Amino acid sequence: MLSFSLVLLNEKPQQHSLSGVRAVEAIARAGLVKAAANELGVTVGAVSQQLHKTEAQLGVQLFERQNRLLLPTAHVLAMQPHLTSAMSSLSTAIATTQRGREDALTISVAPVFAGKWLVWHLKNFNKAHPGIRVRVEATVDLVDPDMSDVDLCIRVGKGPYPGVRAEQLLHQRVFPVCSPALAEQIREPKDIGKLPIIRDPGQMFTWKTWLDLFGLDESILQDGPTFSDGSLCLDAAIAGHGVFLAWETLAVYAVKSGQVIAPFPERPATGSAYWLISGKNAPQTRAKKAFGDWLREELQGSIGRPKGADAVVA
């Protein structure tokens, strides 16, 4: 990952993440974490995480929290003009080096998507386009394709994403999954309330999305194990620890292989979608177009939604 040295208050220079500095610069201009997240094409949580990390590294408070606003402190007011200028110069430099790269791609994706979907399908792209080398960066860190060596990002969110090119690829849809043994105890939707619920507190949706289809409330749900990663939640469901509200790119192979059962066909949309994001100022190369065309078709073809899955559209 790119890094830079920043000297503050005559301290020894330290290495700091470019992603964190980019977040600070965007928040300083936008004034809201949500606005900065939209500009950068990432989640609000990712922006907040980078801000906290940068403040901890620097050892100073960069913003004062007032209701929903973040007011820049004197440190940020002094830094912002230099940061904005540096980001602009870096964007120009990177765009220059990328011109003419027709045989290579660097793609930024979340680790869960990379491990549970992309790694299983990338061989199909390599077979169709043997002359294009693909490098995958599995990270949830902020990535601005205009200001890094990343060519394309695959992200999940509500959009829109100003300041970048963003193409919506696929609606995110959710559905309960559990082990075959637990599935035998489920005959109708309310039966899910009799079983432990596996939870991921970082999810951008709740059980309400699915329960609303059947007039049920989250109050029926039992306690259960909590994991901070969707892949671990799915593994826990496979191991029989409870019911997990999964999404298609995470659980599609586990369902097809019989590791988990989806007791009901309904898969409501969460309101979020998968997006292919590229730099607004970066050139459109043959490699980018080839990967985008392939990804669009591969995603649609891999899901295999059952009859009734698309009955509800967010």
Side-chain angles (χ1 to χ4, degrees), residues 55-301:
E55 287 184 321
Q57 287 178 326
L58 295 177
V60 297
Q61 183 178 350
L62 297 176
F63 295 91
E64 294 179 0
R65 280 74 172 173
Q66 291 189 6
N67 298 323
R68 297 175 58 194
L69 293 177
L70 292 179
L71 302 180
T73 63
H75 298 299
V76 174
L77 292 176
M79 293 164 54
Q80 184 182 352
H82 303 289
L83 291 179
T84 300
S85 176
M87 293 298 171
S88 177
S89 297
L90 183 59
S91 175
T92 301
I94 291 174
T96 299
T97 63
Q98 287 184 331
R99 290 189 181 98
R101 285 181 56 188
E102 297 289 341
D103 62 346
L105 278 176
T106 297
I107 302 168
S108 172
V109 299
V112 172
F113 183 85
K116 292 299 185 181
W117 190 89
L118 185 59
V119 72
W120 299 99
H121 289 265
L122 201 52
K123 62 183 178 181
N124 296 335
F125 177 80
N126 294 333
K127 183 178 180 180
H129 303 278
I132 300 177
R133 294 178 292 108
V134 177
R135 182 169 71 93
V136 176
E137 289 190 0
T139 177
V140 294
D141 287 343
L142 293 174
V143 176
D144 184 339
D146 263 332
M147 297 187 177
S148 72
D149 60 348
V150 170
D151 298 295
L152 297 169
C153 303
I154 304 171
R155 290 292 184 263
V156 179
K158 296 184 182 299
Y161 299 107
V164 296
R165 295 192 187 105
E167 176 191 352
Q168 183 174 301
L169 299 169
L170 185 76
H171 283 293
Q172 183 191 50
R173 295 178 181 274
V174 293
F175 54 101
V177 298
C178 62
S179 67
L182 288 183
E184 293 179 359
Q185 304 178 42
I186 300 175
R187 294 290 179 268
E188 53 185 326
K190 67 179 182 180
D191 291 340
I192 286 177
K194 302 175 183 178
L195 300 172
I197 298 299
I198 301 167
R199 291 177 172 86
D200 174 5
Q203 284 181 342
M204 294 184 292
F205 52 84
T206 68
W207 269 91
K208 186 177 186 300
T209 302
W210 191 84
L211 292 171
D212 277 352
L213 298 181
F214 308 98
L216 299 173
D217 188 83
E218 288 182 279
S219 62
I220 72 166
L221 300 178
Q222 303 294 319
D223 291 333
T226 297
F227 300 92
S228 61
D229 179 85
S231 292
L232 292 176
C233 289
L234 180 63
D235 289 341
I238 293 171
H241 292 296
V243 183
F244 177 53
L245 188 63
W247 54 98
E248 291 170 319
T249 59
L250 172 69
V252 60
Y253 281 112
V255 172
K256 288 180 178 179
S257 65
Q259 292 178 299
V260 292
I261 299 296
F264 306 99
E266 291 82 1
R267 298 182 183 182
T270 65
S272 293
Y274 294 88
W275 298 81
L276 183 63
I277 295 172
S278 59
K280 187 175 181 179
N281 301 313
Q284 176 74 342
T285 64
R286 177 182 62 86
K288 286 183 185 180
K289 184 179 186 306
F291 188 85
D293 292 344
W294 169 81
L295 179 63
R296 198 177 305 111
E297 183 176 348
E298 194 79 7
L299 270 174
Q300 294 287 351

